[in-house]
Amino acid sequence: MPTQNIRVRIAPSPSGNLHVGTARTALFNWLYAKKYNGKFILRIEDTDAERSEEKYVQNIFDSLKAIGLNWDEGPDVGGEYAPYKQSERQEFYDKYSAKLLESGHAYYCWCTQEELEAEKELAKQEKRDFIYSGKCKNLSADQIEKYKTEGRKPVVRFSIPPKKLKFNDLIKGEIEFDTALTGDIVIMKSNGTPTYNFAVVIDDLEMKISHIIRGEDHISNTPKQILIYEALGVEVPQFAHLGMILAPDRSKLSKRHGATAVSEFINQGYLPEAFVNFLAFLGWSSPDGEEIKSPEEIANLFSLDRVSSNPAIFEFDKLNWMNGVYIRNLPIRDLAQRCGKYLGKYDLSCYSESQLDLIIDSVRKNLVKLDEISDLVSYFFGEDVNIDNELKQNVLISDESKKVLADFLEFAENFDYNNIEKIHEQFDKFRERMKPLKPKQIMPPIRAALTGLNHGADLAVIISVLGKDRVTKRIKANL
Ligand code: GLU
């Protein structure tokens, strides 16, 4: 159990809507902070001005909040180590870059794009990996003067000391890199802005981040970052790299598998609480083997020991199942309210709140995502229903069906339309009366005539909600 002050962060780049992978990383950081009474920090990595957009910053805020991952410090709420947007932190990068230049851990590199391309080309011809030659490391004053007068703008390069670098990843275990294969890296671009590997170190250092929990796509960056910490003579934080999230076909999760942004999932009607529950089990497992849990319950049980270093598979079927569980457990008024935004095409004012609750409750067993609600309740709206030919052929046109409908119409005269229990009882009587016909000969034509479907809500609920006039009309239309 960590004893220091736990400070963890999520550092998304606002170049797109919040991706499920980033959301899972955010969640694991949040859980870690919750478990060990730490702080969870949101930092926006927007140094790449061309790819960053304010609308994505907003989407990141909204998506994290939607799934309940509130942050203790961040661009909107501030904090001791503000600002929390990289674009506003230039002074820190300048300061530390100057420090590294002064201590000799970094140097100006004046190489042009063409010169670097030529080095790369040579490496290719010689069939070796390109490693920057370091030729600007020991330039004479004259040479530097010459570059300046040519109008060249230098980058700042960090000298990577060649060595075997080991670190203990809290999820992956001991990892060793040969830094000789890296070559000196650019830390400040020629326009004066920092590169990712530099900015991330400076921010994590300044913000006193204790643990860096992130996706394993960043493992290869880690040695570079550790070397920068070492050059600055400061303590290196702990690293924990999460296995990737893969699609069920084991390829990288992408648009062709479905939604990839948290906001897309939420818009489709995955309940935020179901979605966050699902995310927690992408790579973590509960010691009690149970999977339906609130974030607080998960936080209590959470530890990095139970995080798998293998890839996690994003099982859409499992997400659907979990969403169904949450949908079935929601208080009905809450569910009805959440369904409201998917029912825009209907005039809801024709029903009272309790009737709407009844309607939604009657179909919720079949509801997987909230955006399916509109189709599931369609027959409760409007005067008539469409019945497709196949269903007509199968259950409505036989003489036997016509007889059932005619008898039902007569029987339904005396239904107690406001009392579902009574309708159930009256239905039982109707079935008695129709013997020797079996329920499967009696119910399908009635259901088809009333709903245009062969399955759906409890018929007594449908009859009660539709009321006598519409029941009569829909049955008569099929006599
Ligand atoms: N901006 C980086 C990303 O979104 C952050 C990486 C890190 O956590 O160090 O992948």
Side-chain angles (χ1 to χ4, degrees):
M1 150 142 191
T3 48
Q4 74 216 95
N5 280 340
I6 301 298
R7 290 178 57 81
V8 292
R9 57 32 169 206
I10 179 79
S13 308
S15 54
N17 290 334
L18 186 75
H19 190 273
V20 289
T22 316
R24 194 267 310 243
T25 304
L27 172 61
F28 281 30
N29 277 281
W30 183 92
L31 290 167
Y32 198 73
K34 262 245 162 329
K35 169 78 185 254
Y36 299 113
N37 281 323
K39 295 273 186 258
F40 172 58
I41 292 133
L42 170 63
R43 184 172 72 227
I44 297 292
E45 299 213 329
D46 59 349
T47 34
D48 187 346
E50 259 161 45
R51 295 181 61 222
S52 301
E53 285 189 50
E54 199 48 41
K55 66 174 184 200
Y56 296 133
V57 174
Q58 198 54 48
N59 181 274
I60 291 167
F61 287 178
D62 294 345
S63 304
L64 289 173
K65 280 186 194 156
I67 54 173
L69 303 186
N70 293 321
W71 45 97
D72 301 297
E73 298 168 28
D76 54 340
V77 293
E80 206 177 329
Y81 303 97
Y84 291 90
K85 269 189 181 173
Q86 284 193 333
S87 57
E88 296 166 10
R89 300 179 57 79
Q90 185 65 34
E91 59 179 305
F92 295 101
Y93 314 130
D94 289 340
K95 180 177 117 186
Y96 283 99
S97 155
K99 219 170 176 171
L100 289 173
L101 283 164
E102 205 182 319
S103 64
H105 288 99
Y107 59 92
Y108 287 111
C109 167
W110 305 81
C111 290
T112 60
Q113 219 39 51
E114 293 72 42
E115 285 168 335
L116 292 173
E117 284 308 319
E119 275 197 21
K120 274 185 203 158
E121 192 48 45
L122 188 65
K124 208 164 137 193
Q125 279 169 19
E126 293 174 0
K127 293 194 169 38
R128 57 178 168 82
D129 288 336
F130 164 68
I131 297 173
Y132 174 63
S133 64
K135 70 179 181 195
C136 288
K137 206 169 189 165
N138 298 305
L139 294 176
S140 66
D142 284 355
Q143 188 57 270
I144 292 173
E145 227 16 72
K146 185 168 161 275
Y147 286 149
K148 276 189 189 162
T149 45
E150 280 174 18
R152 293 193 188 195
K153 291 253 178 303
V155 299
V156 178
R157 269 188 202 271
F158 176 72
S159 284
I160 298 275
K163 65 173 184 176
K164 299 267 188 279
L165 187 146
K166 271 192 202 158
F167 70 96
N168 187 36
D169 188 282
L170 295 175
I171 294 171
K172 303 251 169 209
E174 192 170 87
I175 299 182
E176 186 178 291
F177 278 94
D178 182 355
T179 65
L181 305 173
T182 303
D184 299 345
I185 56 165
V186 176
I187 55 172
M188 294 291 266
K189 301 179 213 166
S190 58
N191 65 6
T193 60
T195 57
Y196 156 71
N197 273 311
F198 187 52
V200 78
V201 169
I202 302 312
D203 291 340
D204 287 336
L205 167 64
E206 279 285 320
M207 294 181 184
K208 300 200 166 35
I209 300 301
S210 61
H211 293 72
I212 295 177
I213 305 169
R214 62 185 174 189
E216 73 178 6
D217 47 333
H218 284 291
I219 282 199
S220 62
N221 289 320
T222 307
K224 300 171 196 165
Q225 295 173 10
I226 290 176
L227 290 173
I228 299 176
Y229 284 106
E230 288 179 353
L232 290 169
V234 295
E235 199 184 330
V236 181
Q238 299 273 307
F239 288 93
H241 287 94
L242 307 169
M244 299 308 284
I245 299 177
L246 300 180
D249 63 6
R250 298 209 147 239
S251 66
K252 192 167 171 250
L253 188 66
S254 73
K255 289 247 176 284
R256 79 193 156 86
H257 301 107
T260 53
V262 172
S263 46
E264 280 175 87
F265 283 97
I266 303 293
N267 285 338
Q268 286 175 10
Y270 287 101
L271 305 189
E273 50 273 58
F275 194 69
V276 79
N277 188 161
F278 172 77
L279 284 184
F281 284 83
L282 284 177
W284 175 79
S285 61
S286 171
D288 66 11
E290 281 175 25
E291 297 207 292
I292 302 291
K293 291 194 183 297
S294 70
E296 284 69 26
E297 287 170 327
I298 295 170
N300 276 335
L301 297 166
F302 191 77
S303 73
L304 290 177
D305 304 346
R306 298 195 64 86
V307 174
S308 162
S309 67
N310 296 325
I313 308 294
F314 195 101
E315 302 282 5
F316 286 86
D317 290 346
K318 180 172 168 185
L319 173 60
N320 288 341
W321 163 76
M322 239 183 211
N323 207 45
V325 172
Y326 276 83
I327 284 176
R328 287 190 289 281
N329 288 338
L330 267 193
I332 187 59
R333 187 85 284 267
D334 187 353
L335 179 62
Q337 270 166 346
R338 297 194 204 203
C339 286
K341 81 173 214 201
Y342 302 95
L343 295 172
K345 70 176 186 189
Y346 301 120
D347 173 16
L348 301 185
S349 67
C350 63
Y351 288 121
S352 68
E353 211 169 81
S354 60
Q355 279 176 311
L356 281 174
D357 289 356
L358 188 60
I359 291 172
I360 306 280
D361 202 24
S362 71
V363 297
R364 77 156 120 181
K365 65 177 189 300
N366 295 321
L367 189 58
V368 175
K369 310 183 270 145
L370 300 187
D371 69 355
E372 295 165 1
I373 190 71
S374 172
D375 286 346
L376 288 178
V377 300
S378 62
Y379 51 82
F380 286 105
F381 293 91
E383 285 297 306
D384 312 305
V385 280
N386 281 331
I387 306 172
D388 70 29
N389 275 335
E390 199 185 329
L391 190 63
K392 275 189 188 153
Q393 293 292 333
N394 288 344
V395 292
L396 283 168
I397 57 156
S398 69
D399 289 346
E400 185 185 277
S401 295
K402 300 270 182 217
K403 166 102 174 62
V404 168
L405 291 180
D407 286 4
F408 177 73
L409 189 62
E410 203 188 309
F411 208 82
E413 270 295 308
N414 298 318
F415 272 165
D416 190 347
Y417 280 87
N418 292 324
N419 187 333
I420 294 169
E421 269 319 296
K422 277 265 170 61
I423 298 176
H424 273 293
E425 285 167 21
Q426 286 165 316
F427 241 118
D428 289 343
K429 284 197 189 126
F430 179 63
R431 280 203 293 257
E432 272 304 306
R433 189 175 119 173
M434 298 303 286
K435 272 183 177 165
L437 289 185
K438 301 211 166 66
K440 67 170 193 275
Q441 294 164 296
I442 302 169
M443 307 311 264
I446 298 172
R447 180 178 291 282
L450 293 180
T451 69
L453 298 171
N454 56 12
H455 65 277
D458 176 5
L459 265 182
V461 172
I462 295 170
I463 288 166
S464 169
V465 171
L466 289 178
K468 188 168 183 177
D469 288 353
R470 280 191 291 178
V471 168
T472 307
K473 199 168 171 205
R474 291 184 188 186
I475 297 291
K476 274 189 176 162
N478 288 285
L479 286 179

